[in-house]
Amino acid sequence: MYERNYYDPIEVASRAEIGILQAERLRQTLERVYAHVPAYRRKFDEAGVKPSDFRTLGDLAKFPFTSKADLRENYPFGLFAVPREKLARIHASSGTTGQPTVVGYTKADIDTWANVIARNLYSCGVRPGMLVHIAFGYGLFTGGLGMHYGAERLGCTVVPVSGGMTKRQVQLILDFKPDVILATPSYLLVILDEFKARGIDPKSTSLKIAVCGAESWTYAMRDEIEQAFGIHAADTYGLSEVIGPGVASECIETKDGLHIWEDHFYPEIIDPVSGEVLPDGEQGELVFTSLTKEGMPVMRYRTRDLSRLLPGTARSMRRMEKVIGRTDDMMIVRGVNVFPTQIEEQILRCSGLSPHYQIELRRDGRLDVVKLLVEARPEATDDSVREGSAQMLMAHIRNSIGIGVEVDVADPGKIERSAGKARRVVDLRSKP
Ligand code: DLL
């Protein structure tokens, strides 16, 4: 039977058609925020630009950026473009640095969101009728509810488990036999360990597809998950300020980066220092502008995520390369810029080491010292095997990244687990 490989025809439209749609939607959004959001009007006025200065897509670069600081300054509801009572839902990000950032959705936004998630899941190989186990957190975090509405929209049977209670996750997978699981990659590893602890071969489950995201993870981590469960694992990307999950997704047929749903979110890559727009193919900070959001459109929102824009493959929409890391997670060790994902890649090259790790940063006099805590694989019980793994990891990191690190191989289960995003970096540098 013929099966089309896209959910919405726009995913495979011509670049010309996509460009025309983007320009028209951008023009409307600029006018809307200028008319309805005083904070944007002020920013545009200060920068000396008006919505009428936008004629072609390249003109967007004249408009000012929005950052997390703008959301904080306008906390809680100051960036909404509609009266509060027109909003159907509010979400917020956890705000590790204090105040949470608040986002609002109209009924139409919830509908758009369900649609982009349905598209996202479809591109990951999920089909109507499949049973979908959602282990992303429900609540103010956008992962659980965002995915939930989209999976329902696609016509799946949804099991809204949320994160945590790992024993129950495993029991529900055994009893309900889901085809698909949605979770952060680090939490999926926690679930994997629970299968192993119960003596159940993870390959024997009903699962066929994992859709993972909400944190950085490497291709090496994908291999680990795919081989352990015998499934496909696809990457999905998004952020609350832009909509939540559903901004970009891998296509299962190519798994070569994430197609951005460019008819709703206009991407740019900028130099994080100068703010200059970089050409496609160059690495820099991702910036998104809303094209269809009603409740809280964002203009040139700086994500702090580092990636690059690439041409479409499985779809005509452009791809973003798998996120390398966040600018705020970048460590500068003796002048070398290092991201946790680079370290993860090297850990997974060492057969005695598990993918559970944490990076501790300390200051020794004027120098930054990196200590890696990595768990041994349960089968690596022998001290000499562990010592050999530590030596191997130090050598890999020295040769490929160019920095010296200390490595501490811990017993399995010693490093903290999270039911959501893993905390990879523990920065102890400000402490004595
Ligand atoms: O994490 C939304 C989401 C939920 C995405 C479920 C995917 C799946 P926030 O809590 O606002 O929203 O965090 C957004 O998480 O700026 C990235 O730094 C990171 N992130 C999200 N997806 C990925 C990914 C949700 N696939 C922040 N790869 C973003 C790497 C990701 N980092």
Side-chain angles (χ1 to χ4, degrees):
M1 196 180 76
Y2 170 75
E3 191 196 48
R4 63 169 202 224
N5 72 343
Y6 55 86
Y7 183 74
D8 281 324
I10 190 74
E11 295 170 48
V12 291
S14 71
R15 287 305 307 172
E17 197 181 324
I18 293 169
I20 291 166
L21 188 68
Q22 287 174 324
E24 178 54 22
R25 289 180 168 177
L26 255 170
R27 196 185 51 72
Q28 288 168 359
T29 308
L30 286 165
E31 275 167 12
R32 194 142 37 82
V33 297
Y34 194 72
H36 298 295
V37 188
Y40 276 119
R41 175 185 282 262
R42 216 176 308 121
K43 280 176 78 106
F44 287 12
D45 287 348
E46 274 165 21
V49 280
K50 293 232 167 339
S52 55
D53 293 327
F54 177 84
R55 280 177 214 96
T56 64
L57 290 171
D59 292 330
L60 185 61
K62 297 177 189 159
F63 290 81
F65 293 115
T66 309
S67 68
K68 218 170 184 90
D70 292 294
L71 272 84
R72 291 218 179 90
E73 274 162 31
N74 292 286
Y75 177 85
F77 298 157
L79 287 182
F80 292 166
V82 298
R84 202 275 307 136
E85 52 279 19
K86 295 274 181 228
L87 293 176
R89 197 184 311 157
I90 284 169
H91 279 282
S93 79
S94 51
T96 38
T97 44
Q99 224 167 48
T101 43
V102 177
V103 293
Y105 306 73
T106 63
K107 272 206 163 65
D109 292 334
I110 299 279
D111 189 65
T112 304
W113 197 12
N115 200 68
V116 286
I117 296 277
R119 207 192 263 188
N120 185 324
L121 293 174
Y122 197 92
S123 73
C124 297
V126 183
R127 292 293 177 267
M130 285 189 173
L131 196 90
V132 177
H133 177 120
I134 303 186
F136 281 121
Y138 278 64
L140 286 175
F141 176 55
T142 52
L145 281 165
M147 289 295 189
H148 184 107
Y149 277 63
E152 282 189 355
R153 169 68 53 90
L154 181 56
C156 299
T157 308
V158 180
V159 190
V161 190
S162 193
M165 294 201 272
T166 310
K167 287 190 184 354
R168 191 182 68 167
Q169 305 268 353
V170 166
Q171 198 56 50
L172 291 176
I173 293 170
L174 294 173
D175 296 346
F176 293 0
K177 305 195 169 30
D179 305 280
V180 183
I181 186 161
L182 312 184
T184 60
S186 59
Y187 190 54
L188 195 51
L189 290 178
V190 176
I191 294 177
L192 177 73
D193 285 350
E194 182 59 26
F195 272 107
K196 290 182 183 158
R198 287 184 56 175
I200 300 165
D201 177 5
K203 283 201 181 68
S204 68
T205 74
S206 55
L207 291 171
K208 299 181 191 76
I209 300 169
V211 179
C212 296
E215 62 184 1
S216 298
W217 57 311
T218 55
Y219 285 121
M221 182 74 101
R222 185 222 296 277
D223 287 346
E224 174 84 22
I225 290 171
E226 290 193 329
Q227 280 166 27
F229 278 110
I231 56 175
H232 282 292
D235 194 5
T236 188
Y237 168 88
L239 62 163
S240 323
E241 296 85 341
V242 173
I243 203 159
V247 174
S249 168
E250 262 185 327
C251 292
I252 198 162
E253 59 270 41
T254 44
K255 287 195 200 162
D256 57 354
L258 303 96
H259 284 86
I260 299 168
W261 306 129
E262 274 193 87
D263 52 333
H264 294 286
F265 318 105
Y266 186 78
E268 294 171 280
I269 289 280
I270 61 159
D271 178 318
V273 180
S274 69
E276 186 199 341
V277 178
L278 299 175
D280 285 9
E282 282 192 32
Q283 191 187 95
E285 179 179 346
L286 262 172
V287 169
F288 284 105
T289 298
S290 310
L291 297 179
T292 52
K293 261 282 208 72
E294 285 185 352
M296 204 189 100
V298 285
M299 308 312 301
R300 307 196 79 206
Y301 185 74
R302 292 187 62 158
T303 64
R304 303 187 194 174
D305 293 323
L306 295 173
S307 179
R308 65 182 104 221
L309 290 174
L310 303 166
T313 50
R315 306 289 188 275
S316 24
M317 308 238 165
R318 275 178 292 176
R319 287 167 301 148
M320 54 183 266
E321 185 183 48
K322 200 171 189 43
V323 173
I324 300 133
R326 293 178 57 79
T327 47
D328 29 6
D329 271 350
M330 188 177 83
M331 302 168 279
I332 305 177
V333 186
R334 296 183 195 172
V336 181
N337 298 350
V338 187
F339 290 97
T341 48
Q342 290 171 281
I343 298 206
E344 180 176 297
E345 232 164 43
Q346 300 310 320
I347 292 173
L348 287 166
R349 287 176 66 194
C350 305
S351 56
L353 301 178
S354 83
H356 297 291
Y357 67 95
Q358 211 160 46
I359 304 165
E360 246 179 46
L361 288 176
R362 284 178 199 284
R363 182 148 290 155
D364 181 7
R366 296 169 71 185
L367 290 179
D368 285 341
V369 180
V370 177
K371 182 163 152 193
L372 282 184
L373 292 167
V374 196
E375 280 179 20
R377 293 211 185 250
E379 57 278 16
T381 45
D382 195 286
D383 276 352
S384 65
V385 173
R386 290 187 180 192
E387 182 49 34
S389 300
Q391 292 298 335
M392 186 190 285
L393 179 57
M394 285 191 275
H396 283 330
I397 291 177
R398 203 169 34 245
N399 296 337
S400 62
I401 310 177
I403 56 165
V405 298
E406 293 170 22
V407 173
D408 194 349
V409 179
D411 286 334
K414 276 281 180 304
I415 293 170
E416 75 177 34
R417 303 288 194 263
S418 159
K421 300 174 190 250
R423 189 160 72 118
R424 295 298 188 201
V425 181
V426 182
D427 193 343
L428 304 170
R429 283 176 300 185
S430 50
K431 306 204 176 109

